[in-house]
Amino acid sequence: MSSINNSFGLISRNNSPSRPSNTIAFPRIKFNLQEILDRFNANIADIRSHFQTADDLLAMQPTKHTAAEDIWRSQIVFLDSALDFYIHEIVKYGIIKMFNGDWTPSNDYKKMKVHLSFAVDLAQNPSSASKLREEIDEMNKYSCFMGAKKLKEQLDFIDVNYNLRNSDKTLLNDLYNRRNQIAHQSDRIPGQQQKQPISKNYVEDFINKIENFVVSNLHPGVIIKSCGLANIA
């Protein structure tokens, strides 16, 4: 796991990424695999809903094509985020299953680092194991699991045996690279003024392909079969 360096040991919270936060703390909810997939599907539906926003804008003001393009660009960023969040949740689910003895621990799991404060709490009070979900979120909240290589590393971490096809790798890397170009370069070509062209059809195609990738290859049935689970609880 990239954020925990695939080494089970102890680290100080002082070494964790630190960013100002004004987020509201909500209770952490336990989701099963189907519920994780349902959340992904809900995110995809929300992303698709913004096509109507762009369509309405162009219908009212046909000259606002640049603004519509920026809505489409935002959909690419949110699409990458939806997939990243799905992988985060799948990995967290797998780690908790391994911790609880429901899933054969992987070699990477056995070497996973945790914060010293969590390890001390666990040693002194075994009931603090319930905080593992919070610990995983804390460790990974600034980590990105996108791009073919990183996504495969996360699947390997929890022993989900899926070999990415070349078409999968191209899709994942193309999405991640375009997301980065939009988020970090305003979608501008380096050394030039103009932005990369984008269209509604381009974004629709990306959404359809990513949705199909998840539903076909990483849905609950595939994970259950790969890891020998009896159910999706």
Side-chain angles (χ1 to χ4, degrees):
M1 183 179 278
S2 56
S3 66
I4 33 188
N5 303 318
N6 288 349
S7 300
F8 201 9
L10 307 177
I11 62 175
S12 167
R13 286 195 184 273
N14 292 332
N15 292 329
S16 300
S18 178
R19 298 183 186 181
S21 175
N22 58 357
T23 56
I24 300 173
F26 292 100
R28 284 174 170 79
I29 303 172
K30 177 182 177 181
F31 294 101
N32 64 34
L33 287 174
Q34 184 58 54
E35 289 167 335
I36 293 172
L37 180 61
D38 290 344
R39 295 171 77 196
F40 171 78
N41 290 335
N43 284 335
I44 293 298
D46 183 61
I47 293 166
R48 280 201 172 101
S49 71
H50 294 293
F51 283 124
Q52 189 62 52
T53 303
D55 289 346
D56 290 344
L57 175 64
L58 291 173
M60 292 185 294
Q61 302 183 60
T63 60
K64 295 290 186 179
H65 195 76
T66 299
E69 288 180 340
D70 284 340
I71 292 173
W72 298 330
R73 289 185 176 94
S74 75
Q75 289 175 285
I76 292 293
V77 175
F78 281 120
L79 177 62
D80 189 73
S81 177
L83 179 59
D84 189 31
F85 187 60
Y86 182 72
I87 298 302
H88 271 261
E89 292 296 289
I90 291 294
V91 170
K92 179 168 60 178
Y93 174 90
I95 291 173
I96 292 171
K97 282 292 184 182
M98 291 177 185
F99 185 86
N100 290 336
D102 300 324
W103 192 323
T104 302
S106 67
N107 289 331
D108 285 335
Y109 167 84
K110 295 174 184 177
K111 298 181 291 184
M112 190 179 82
K113 286 184 178 178
V114 295
H115 288 111
L116 178 59
S117 58
F118 174 74
V120 171
D121 285 345
L122 187 60
Q124 295 178 345
N125 180 14
S127 65
S128 66
S130 61
K131 298 180 181 178
L132 178 58
R133 190 171 288 102
E134 179 180 348
E135 173 70 8
I136 297 169
D137 287 338
E138 178 68 21
M139 297 294 292
N140 289 334
K141 63 184 178 181
Y142 298 130
S143 298
C144 177
F145 293 166
M146 290 297 92
K149 182 179 179 181
K150 287 188 177 181
L151 187 145
K152 184 63 169 66
E153 287 175 354
Q154 301 314 310
L155 296 181
D156 289 344
F157 189 93
I158 57 172
D159 276 350
V160 173
N161 299 314
Y162 176 71
N163 293 318
L164 295 175
R165 299 172 295 237
N166 286 335
S167 58
D168 296 330
K169 295 176 183 178
T170 299
L171 172 65
L172 294 170
N173 288 334
D174 284 352
L175 174 63
Y176 184 51
N177 290 336
R178 188 63 188 266
R179 175 267 178 197
N180 284 343
Q181 184 167 312
I182 293 170
H184 300 299
Q185 299 170 208
S186 297
D187 208 22
R188 296 187 185 278
I189 301 171
Q192 301 182 32
Q193 289 297 317
Q194 69 268 31
K195 291 185 177 182
Q196 288 274 40
I198 194 168
S199 68
K200 178 180 178 179
N201 288 340
Y202 171 90
V203 178
E204 285 181 318
D205 185 57
F206 249 133
I207 294 174
N208 291 337
K209 287 179 178 177
I210 290 297
E211 182 179 38
N212 183 67
F213 170 75
V214 169
V215 172
S216 299
N217 306 309
L218 296 178
H219 65 81
V222 170
I223 296 171
I224 290 171
K225 182 178 180 179
S226 177
C227 301
L229 296 175
N231 54 59
I232 62 174

